[in-house]
Amino acid sequence: MKIAIPSRGTSPDSAPDDRFGRAPFFAVIDTESGEFSTIENAAADASGGVGPQAVGLLSRLNIKVVIAGRIGGNALVALKEAGIEVVEQEMNGTVRGICESYSSSLK
Amino acid sequence: MRNRQKVNDQMRIVVASGKGGTGKTLVTANLAFVLSQKMAITLEDCDVEEPNLHLYFPSSGKETVVTITVPGIDESACTLCGKCGEACRYGAITALSDRVLIFPDLCHSCGGCALACPALAIEEVERPIGMIKVSFPLPGLKLISGRLNEGEVQTVAVIREVRTRSEDDPLVIADAPPGTSCPLVETLEGCNYCLLVTEPTPFGLHDLALAAEVVQVMGVPAGIVINKNDGNDGDIVDFAKTHSLPVLMSIPLDREIARVHNNGDLVCLKFPEWRERFAALAHCLLGEYAGGGA
């Protein structure tokens, strides 16, 4: 299962971004294989409606779970429509750390 | 359509304010009334988020729905490539893994998504966003009121529809929306003169300055009406002087004027001296036009 976390950088040790639609990157982690990758959020600097665009990007990558700090109304609607599970929580530490806590919470 | 330079020989006067609640409608309604006694005029209510001129000129009239176009998806043709979403700077359309999601209330009807779609899967669908009502409440007066439906954002689209209904009319007075953004610009484009209604408060002055900047950038000549004047109008008068804007009228802070106006009555009908003063303002604005000159 692939999960996505808004990230400020491209490394597993990057700090998470508290925002969803305006995060410059998304860390994508496959919880089964442990494979880590990042994708650039092309819409991050657009004037508006960035949330739904980010959801489109994640949906086409077959992401099943999004962990984020703050998610806007339109993005929430789009995430629901896309069938992506939303975990809203405080965003501290690194994207790797957030991913590991999430994975261990599933066990 | 977009290019709204002067329409024929139309004389267009816009009453604007920047700040809401300064008295645009008071000035517009009374000015329109005195003018309608002398000549045929068209009154536009471009404050489409909160139109209220019809309260002063109640009448039945013809209503038409304002629609905009939003994208609709032909799912049999869509390949879910996501190009539509990349083209939309408003985030109104986005391709998910199994279908395309549309947010109609974010859409600005630019048609960019349809142009970007390589599969020609996007068609335009009409969506109602407001209403236009045209009425003739007095022999010399045509009133065009626009109304934007609650929750909609495309104010400019409704104002544009209001304006198409006065294109052939010789004299137009328009009640502008408050604020200094796109709706005001749409109302001002191609106009001959702008009356800036303000009040002697720090907020009145602040927003007057913003509105004055807009009319200056647009190259529209303007003058000021000070409403609710309690005598503390020094800052406004100073501003007018430094910006070479004439103060054309001052309306006192007066309980009787407020009472009449808030009852939906015309101040110039209740008080003969105000009829004269609005007639003088009209003459000042229209001078040669009213005299039948050019």
Side-chain angles (χ1 to χ4, degrees):
Chain A
M1 180 181 72
K2 289 204 281 190
I3 68 173
I5 301 169
S7 172
R8 293 191 192 162
T10 55
S11 142
D13 296 317
S14 296
D17 199 311
D18 189 42
R19 306 160 303 171
F20 173 71
R22 300 224 174 256
F25 302 97
F26 287 101
V28 176
I29 302 111
D30 188 321
T31 52
E32 278 112 46
S33 69
E35 189 191 337
F36 175 93
S37 60
T38 46
I39 48 164
E40 195 178 343
N41 179 14
D45 294 327
S47 62
V50 292
Q53 298 299 14
V55 175
L57 183 68
L58 301 180
S59 170
R60 296 195 294 280
L61 288 169
N62 204 23
I63 305 290
K64 295 297 180 200
V65 178
V66 161
I67 305 172
R70 288 181 288 137
I71 304 179
N74 288 321
L76 277 176
V77 170
L79 285 163
K80 192 174 171 214
E81 290 286 328
I84 297 176
E85 187 189 331
V86 176
V87 180
E88 282 188 274
Q89 63 172 51
E90 293 259 327
M91 300 295 274
N92 300 314
T94 64
V95 290
R96 190 208 306 265
I98 289 170
C99 178
E100 281 167 1
S101 337
Y102 175 75
S103 296
S104 59
S105 76
L106 294 178
K107 286 165 191 163
Chain B
M1 172 102 189
R2 191 56 227 170
N3 184 11
R4 245 193 225 295
Q5 291 311 310
K6 284 234 29 77
V7 182
N8 305 327
D9 302 326
Q10 186 180 82
M11 176 78 175
R12 179 179 181 83
I13 295 168
V14 172
V15 183
S17 71
K19 183 183 177 301
T22 58
K24 279 184 308 297
T25 304
L26 171 79
V27 172
T28 315
N30 285 280
L31 189 61
F33 177 81
V34 296
L35 280 167
S36 72
Q37 302 298 293
K38 292 174 72 179
M39 62 191 84
I41 81 150
T42 300
L43 189 52
E44 286 178 4
D45 200 339
C46 292
D47 187 1
V48 302
E49 290 176 37
E50 203 158 7
N52 53 7
L53 274 172
H54 60 278
L55 300 174
Y56 300 88
F57 303 106
S59 172
S60 57
K62 185 168 177 265
E63 292 194 347
T64 44
V65 174
V66 180
T67 60
I68 55 165
T69 54
V70 295
I73 305 296
D74 176 356
E75 285 177 9
S76 63
C78 177
T79 62
L80 299 170
C81 71
K83 293 259 191 319
C84 51
E86 288 166 22
C88 181
R89 62 183 296 181
Y90 305 107
I93 184 166
T94 185
L96 303 178
S97 59
D98 59 346
R99 80 208 125 102
V100 172
L101 193 60
I102 295 168
F103 290 84
D105 54 341
L106 297 181
C107 176
H108 284 55
S109 306
C110 71
C113 53
L115 290 175
C117 177
L120 304 178
I122 296 180
E123 55 195 10
E124 293 190 327
V125 177
E126 299 273 325
R127 194 169 81 87
I129 57 157
M131 192 76 93
I132 304 287
K133 180 175 167 186
V134 179
S135 63
F136 296 89
L138 295 168
L141 184 66
K142 171 180 169 183
L143 174 62
I144 310 170
S145 289
R147 195 187 72 220
L148 181 72
N149 291 346
E150 212 173 302
E152 299 293 345
V153 295
Q154 289 224 42
T155 312
V156 167
V158 178
I159 295 172
R160 199 172 288 159
E161 281 297 310
V162 168
R163 293 197 60 174
T164 61
R165 283 160 178 76
S166 71
E167 272 173 354
D168 298 326
D169 301 347
L171 173 60
V172 175
I173 310 279
D175 197 5
T180 49
S181 57
C182 303
L184 175 63
V185 172
E186 180 66 27
T187 307
L188 280 172
E189 267 187 292
C191 82
N192 301 74
Y193 198 85
C194 180
L195 263 187
L196 296 167
V197 184
T198 188
E199 61 182 30
T201 65
F203 308 110
L205 177 63
H206 177 268
D207 291 358
L208 169 68
L210 292 175
E213 199 179 332
V214 173
V215 296
Q216 193 203 346
V217 168
M218 293 182 72
V220 175
I224 293 174
V225 173
I226 306 174
N227 186 28
K228 298 186 261 188
N229 196 345
D230 58 358
N232 296 310
D233 59 355
D235 289 345
I236 304 274
V237 171
D238 287 346
F239 178 88
K241 268 190 198 140
T242 53
H243 291 78
S244 304
L245 295 166
V247 176
L248 301 177
M249 185 184 238
S250 174
I251 305 168
L253 181 66
D254 181 284
R255 189 172 284 274
E256 274 306 291
I257 289 176
R259 189 184 60 75
V260 168
H261 184 66
N262 291 344
N263 264 344
D265 292 323
L266 293 166
V267 169
C268 67
L269 270 181
K270 295 279 176 184
F271 306 113
E273 71 269 29
W274 281 102
R275 186 171 185 145
E276 278 170 34
R277 295 190 61 184
F278 275 103
L281 177 65
H283 185 76
C284 172
L285 291 172
L286 297 178
E288 291 165 29
Y289 182 94

